[in-house]
Amino acid sequence: MNARTEGATVSRHQLRGITVRVINSRPDIATRAVLERLDQALELIALYAPRRFRRMTQDLSGIVVQRFPCRGAFFPQTRECLVELTFTVNPAHTLPEIAASIVHEATHARIAAHCGTLPEALRPREERICRRAELEFGTALPDGEVVVERARRSLGLSDLEVAPQVDWREAARRVESIDRQQLPG
């Protein structure tokens, strides 16, 4: 899915050996703040899951941070992990949550690197593998309770709930509507 980028500032950075592109379409969000929180989340992965961090740097070509209809995504065409812009800087979300989202998407990258794109029928299974990676990561963290709880809750969902069909156009329309309401002019 292509994100709307007109009027956005695009910048390229290196964090812990990972190329990071920030597509900042929100003038109320400082790119510096995005990078600080992202770096702290990556530090958690490097400290508490060093093997996973090393694999992640091999499986991903980089991270892109931008507005998006969900907190994270993996783009197999570019091998990039997306971390949603407002999720990254929202103080209501903890660093472990941001890190767990990256772990989840990096697990998709790992699967794609070894198996290619899986058929639609296997999406629920792939999602559960990614949630188990989050769970494992959350249990390694000293303050990973919110990650563990969310992963456990997701693992109990039905196939349709754990891997829902998303209308990406409608989701993008909702994000644009929210941004129009929150931003002046």
Side-chain angles (χ1 to χ4, degrees):
M1 172 178 162
N2 292 335
R4 212 175 120 254
T5 59
E6 61 257 13
T9 59
V10 180
S11 56
R12 221 175 243 292
H13 312 270
Q14 286 288 317
L15 295 178
R16 301 182 184 276
I18 299 171
T19 300
V20 176
R21 243 179 345 120
V22 179
I23 303 169
N24 191 344
S25 58
R26 294 281 301 261
D28 59 324
I29 295 175
T31 296
R32 180 183 37 64
V34 171
L35 293 169
E36 286 174 12
R37 296 256 301 174
L38 185 61
D39 186 55
Q40 292 168 339
L42 290 170
E43 180 180 36
L44 288 177
I45 302 168
L47 284 173
Y48 293 99
R51 183 171 175 227
R52 190 176 295 281
F53 184 82
R54 283 190 304 276
R55 289 189 315 222
M56 182 178 84
T57 62
Q58 297 166 357
D59 296 334
L60 294 173
S61 66
I63 294 174
V64 61
V65 182
Q66 68 185 58
R67 279 299 269 139
F68 203 72
C70 60
R71 61 172 61 179
F74 170 64
F75 301 127
Q77 319 85 301
T78 60
R79 295 183 30 249
E80 288 180 301
C81 167
L82 174 126
V83 183
E84 204 282 328
L85 180 71
T86 60
F87 168 66
T88 305
V89 296
N90 185 338
H93 294 292
T94 66
L95 292 172
E97 286 178 279
I98 298 165
S101 185
I102 296 168
V103 164
H104 179 110
E105 301 310 331
T107 303
H108 281 297
R110 187 92 180 144
I111 292 167
H114 291 294
C115 304
T117 302
L118 297 179
E120 192 72 24
L122 293 178
R123 281 190 66 235
R125 183 171 182 206
E126 182 175 348
E127 280 302 314
R128 286 191 176 90
I129 291 168
C130 295
R131 293 296 181 185
R132 281 194 291 279
E134 286 183 60
L135 179 60
E136 179 184 306
F137 176 67
T139 59
L141 295 172
D143 57 347
E145 297 85 12
V146 69
V147 171
V148 169
E149 181 184 320
R150 183 171 191 266
R152 282 190 176 139
R153 194 171 48 247
S154 294
L155 286 168
L157 296 174
S158 70
D159 284 359
L160 187 57
E161 293 168 319
V162 80
Q165 292 295 319
V166 177
D167 179 343
W168 290 109
R169 287 189 189 134
E170 176 60 19
R173 187 196 63 72
R174 289 179 184 180
V175 167
E176 287 181 32
S177 175
I178 290 167
D179 284 353
R180 275 194 307 275
Q181 291 171 11
Q182 291 182 346
L183 295 173

